[in-house]
Amino acid sequence: MASELCKTISVARLEKHKNLFLNYRNLHHFPLELLKDEGLQYLERLYMKRNSLTTLPENLAQKLPNLVELYLHSNNIVVVPEAIGSLVKLQCLDLSDNALEIVCPEIGRLRALRHLRLANNQLQFLPPDLGRSRELQYVYVDNNIHLKGLPSYLYNKVVGCNGCGAPIQVSEVKLLSFSSGQLTVFLPAEVKAIGTEKDRVLPLQELAMRSLHHTYHSFLKDLNFLSPISLPRSLLELLHCPLGHCHLCSEPMFTIVYPKLFPMRETPMAGLHQGKTAVSFVAYCCSTQCLQTFDLLS
């Protein structure tokens, strides 16, 4: 089987194939042959459905830089590396029927992505920036039973979310949660604090991070000017990658968000799902002013 696999990949490399089918191969690890030397620079579509993969390589984008479609349906993938955000040409990503509990924020920043399939996983929240790109039009998260909140960017996109929103004891989950009336949603792990309409003054660390981000993006255009000497490594990494952007004004947010819930049953989209979902749209705002102003339906 291993020699047959190597032969298949070698032929694809030599003949500069654009499509490669590695479905039903009982693969437990991503094939090293795919990552050998320069990788497969011409490959555009990779099919690896129904294997036993648990993760993806960090250098995936480096070795397969021209991927347009990646199909990983029905594996055992638990973690998707941040490096997937470097697949700048990726338009279709299928991670349905895996074991994902978290989707890395970098997936929300894939600017060419049009189709995202995450159904039948174990997700409890989605990245705040998911859907911010206008290119993303189709998102399927059906049967993530404990997923209760969809970023408001996904409103007016084609969303599949049947079978989501089952009750769960908040005490069982080590995530911040936000409640409005009888609704409760879990927030991304990167969120350190939740703001309300009464919290008109931002925490000092958040103010500092936003000020630094604005300064270096407006004047120096390059955050690489900073070094671990000028900032602690943890803050430097956070500065490079905000947890999200305000859904009203696009201000970057680093530690605190001001969430606002819009139950799907109260939106025009309710009829599309016929009561088969109990999720809400979540607007992640950067301040009390944006929180009070944001209206999903306006």
Side-chain angles (χ1 to χ4, degrees):
M1 177 67 76
S3 59
E4 180 187 343
L5 176 65
C6 290
K7 181 179 179 180
T8 299
I9 296 174
S10 296
V11 170
R13 178 182 288 109
L14 290 171
E15 298 182 359
K16 299 179 180 180
H17 288 183
K18 292 186 177 182
N19 303 316
L20 181 58
F21 296 87
L22 299 177
N23 302 321
Y24 299 94
R25 296 279 185 147
N26 195 31
L27 298 174
H28 289 77
H29 304 283
F30 204 86
L32 294 177
E33 191 70 21
L34 274 175
L35 310 173
K36 185 179 177 182
D37 300 325
E38 295 183 356
L40 276 69
Q41 299 289 314
Y42 292 90
L43 194 66
E44 294 182 359
R45 297 171 188 83
L46 177 58
Y47 299 82
M48 299 186 72
K49 299 179 182 180
R50 297 194 179 277
N51 285 289
S52 298
L53 301 175
T54 57
T55 189
L56 300 175
E58 292 284 350
N59 60 347
L60 182 64
Q62 178 186 351
K63 299 298 183 178
L64 306 175
N66 290 303
L67 273 187
V68 175
E69 299 177 9
L70 179 57
Y71 298 95
L72 298 162
H73 181 286
S74 299
N75 279 276
N76 298 315
I77 297 174
V78 177
V79 176
V80 177
E82 298 175 358
I84 199 168
S86 298
L87 287 170
V88 295
K89 296 183 179 181
L90 196 64
Q91 296 180 17
C92 180
L93 177 60
D94 187 352
L95 285 162
S96 51
D97 288 277
N98 277 280
L100 292 172
E101 295 183 4
I102 295 175
V103 175
C104 62
E106 284 69 21
I107 286 182
R109 295 165 190 152
L110 287 167
R111 293 305 178 197
L113 193 65
R114 290 181 53 81
H115 298 255
L116 178 61
R117 297 181 178 274
L118 298 168
N120 298 301
N121 279 283
Q122 300 170 29
L123 300 174
Q124 296 175 5
F125 62 85
L126 295 173
D129 276 353
L130 186 64
R132 189 169 181 237
S133 168
R134 293 183 178 179
E135 293 298 320
L136 186 62
Q137 294 297 321
Y138 304 90
V139 178
Y140 300 95
V141 292
D142 305 83
N143 300 319
N144 285 275
I145 61 172
H146 298 310
L147 178 63
K148 293 173 173 288
L150 305 176
S152 67
Y153 285 129
L154 296 180
Y155 190 68
N156 288 332
K157 312 266 186 183
V158 177
V159 177
C161 55
N162 290 337
C164 296
I168 186 173
Q169 294 296 323
V170 175
S171 60
E172 297 176 6
V173 183
K174 296 180 180 179
L175 293 170
L176 286 180
S177 61
F178 173 74
S179 298
S180 178
Q182 297 181 340
L183 301 173
T184 298
V185 298
F186 298 110
L187 302 182
E190 295 84 1
V191 176
K192 305 304 179 186
I194 300 173
T196 68
E197 291 186 0
K198 298 179 180 179
D199 301 318
R200 297 185 176 275
V201 179
L202 288 169
L204 182 59
Q205 183 184 20
E206 182 71 17
L207 281 171
M209 296 299 290
R210 293 187 189 183
S211 179
L212 279 171
H213 190 275
H214 175 74
T215 298
Y216 284 96
H217 270 281
S218 298
F219 300 104
L220 298 176
K221 305 295 183 183
D222 185 9
L223 287 173
N224 291 324
F225 178 84
L226 292 168
S227 70
I229 297 176
S230 56
L231 271 182
R233 182 174 297 277
S234 59
L235 294 184
L236 186 62
E237 292 175 352
L238 186 60
L239 196 59
H240 277 274
C241 187
L243 67 87
H245 293 77
C246 178
H247 289 198
L248 182 65
C249 73
S250 295
E251 176 79 15
M253 302 175 291
F254 297 90
T255 60
I256 187 172
V257 298
Y258 291 73
K260 190 172 186 177
L261 299 187
F262 297 87
M264 183 176 286
R265 64 173 180 267
E266 297 177 8
T267 73
M269 289 185 68
L272 297 176
H273 298 276
Q274 300 177 343
K276 296 180 181 178
T277 186
V279 302
S280 300
F281 288 101
V282 186
Y284 293 92
C285 300
C286 68
S287 63
T288 55
Q289 182 178 356
C290 286
L291 179 67
Q292 293 169 348
T293 305
F294 187 93
D295 184 358
L296 184 69
L297 303 179
S298 64

